[in-house]
Amino acid sequence: MTKAILLADRGVVEVSGEDAAKFLHNLVTNDITSLGNGEARFAALLTPQGKILFDFVVFSPGEGRFLLDCPLPFAPDLEKRLNMYKLRAKVAVANLSDRLEAVAFPDAPERPKVEAIALAPDPRSEALGWRALAEKGKIAAAGPLAEYETRRIRAGVPLGGVDFAYSDAFPHETNMDLLAGLDFKKGCYVGQEVVSRMKHRNLVRKRVTRYRAPGGAPRPGESIRAGDVEIGVTGSAIGEEGLALIRLDRLADAEEKGHTPMAGGVKLEFAERD
């Protein structure tokens, strides 16, 4: 039987109206105009300097309506920011987090048979299975969150506010280019020039990277050092596996010199990188 896992840390912001598709498409990092019912897109709203203000999974239930599955603590600010951009656009923005909830089906081999407003494969990684937005309590979700978190970490999918700080990280640093979160063929959006420059000039110095810590991963927020050099900071972790935002050049230099990365007194073994 497919497990349904409630993602209680997620909120939902709705953008609806005649201009909703065009409005979002001109703001965020991914293509929204071609998004159809039964699909979802990973995207972000950036600062003009190209750093992530909010990231979210966008669903399109139809009828000029889009639902943004975002971190719950940031849903009110996302609603406020989108309303700032609205100007004369024929759109309405509303925080529906008190009515709707996000549910994951990480082991579902096919579309789950549930009553949902929106349901689609998670666009970031096949390892995360399917994802739904539904009225609170409509889906009986009793699966363990740890199972979803393990899959998320193994897939290298960062969690904003834990694996990186909003307003302080570029999309490439959080693997959005590897997780289908950036469309390099669409037109302009807020911060697009910086994102394009980082891609074409290979300016990515930091990335969220997977690691193993035999004996147990350190808690989030621990400084990672290799010898006398700080190379990053730990993020999400479960068991012996975790994610860390690291300086790629410093990690490569440490590995070349035979220095072992350490955090909180624990040795870290980083995954192979391209």
Side-chain angles (χ1 to χ4, degrees):
M1 182 177 178
T2 299
K3 294 178 183 177
I5 301 174
L6 175 63
L7 305 178
D9 62 341
R10 304 296 290 185
V12 180
V13 173
E14 178 189 60
V15 179
S16 60
E18 182 180 334
D19 296 336
K22 181 180 178 181
F23 171 74
L24 279 177
H25 185 80
N26 290 338
L27 287 177
V28 306
T29 60
N30 217 330
D31 181 359
I32 301 301
T33 56
S34 65
L35 179 61
N37 192 4
E39 296 181 294
R41 296 266 162 81
F42 182 38
L45 178 62
L46 310 181
T47 67
Q49 295 75 33
K51 294 188 175 183
I52 300 172
L53 280 172
F54 308 94
D55 60 348
F56 33 77
V57 178
V58 186
F59 294 83
S60 176
E63 300 179 359
R65 186 185 186 201
F66 296 88
L67 298 175
L68 280 55
D69 168 356
C70 66
L72 180 59
F74 298 97
D77 289 336
L78 176 56
E79 177 191 25
K80 181 178 179 180
R81 177 69 63 156
L82 290 173
N83 272 314
M84 286 174 54
Y85 281 117
K86 190 168 63 173
L87 300 177
R88 296 181 180 178
K90 296 178 181 179
V91 298
V93 182
N95 182 2
L96 303 184
S97 303
D98 60 338
R99 291 171 39 200
L100 305 183
E101 59 189 9
V103 179
F105 302 85
D107 63 347
E110 56 187 26
R111 182 185 178 91
K113 296 180 180 179
V114 295
E115 186 176 346
I117 294 172
L119 178 64
D122 193 308
R124 298 168 297 177
S125 171
E126 291 184 0
L128 298 181
W130 289 70
R131 196 175 184 96
L133 298 180
E135 296 283 348
K136 286 183 179 269
K138 282 288 186 181
I139 298 176
L145 182 60
E147 181 176 326
Y148 173 83
E149 284 294 282
T150 298
R151 286 173 176 262
R152 180 181 66 79
I153 290 169
R154 287 177 179 172
V157 178
L159 178 63
V162 178
D163 297 306
F164 65 93
Y166 288 112
S167 300
D168 192 49
F170 294 104
H172 285 82
E173 295 175 346
T174 69
N175 298 335
M176 288 195 71
D177 56 324
L178 307 179
L179 299 171
L182 303 177
D183 187 333
F184 292 101
K185 297 180 180 179
K186 64 171 285 188
C188 294
Y189 56 86
V190 179
Q192 182 265 341
E193 290 184 2
V194 178
V195 174
S196 180
R197 191 181 310 127
M198 291 188 74
K199 170 182 170 62
H200 295 296
R201 297 186 183 179
N202 195 25
L203 298 176
V204 184
R205 296 196 302 171
K206 295 188 291 185
R207 271 200 190 273
V208 173
T209 304
R210 293 180 295 112
Y211 72 82
R212 292 188 63 87
R219 64 185 181 184
E222 292 282 356
S223 173
I224 304 172
R225 303 189 70 85
D228 296 328
V229 179
E230 182 175 4
I231 66 171
V233 61
T234 59
S236 301
I238 192 164
E240 295 185 343
E241 300 177 83
L243 299 175
L245 181 60
I246 62 165
R247 275 283 299 266
L248 299 173
D249 55 340
R250 293 179 184 178
L251 176 59
D253 186 56
E255 291 173 337
E256 185 177 333
K257 293 178 179 178
H259 294 162
T260 301
M262 303 280 295
V266 178
K267 295 181 179 179
L268 306 185
E269 301 172 356
F270 281 90
E272 293 185 6
R273 301 167 306 284
D274 183 355

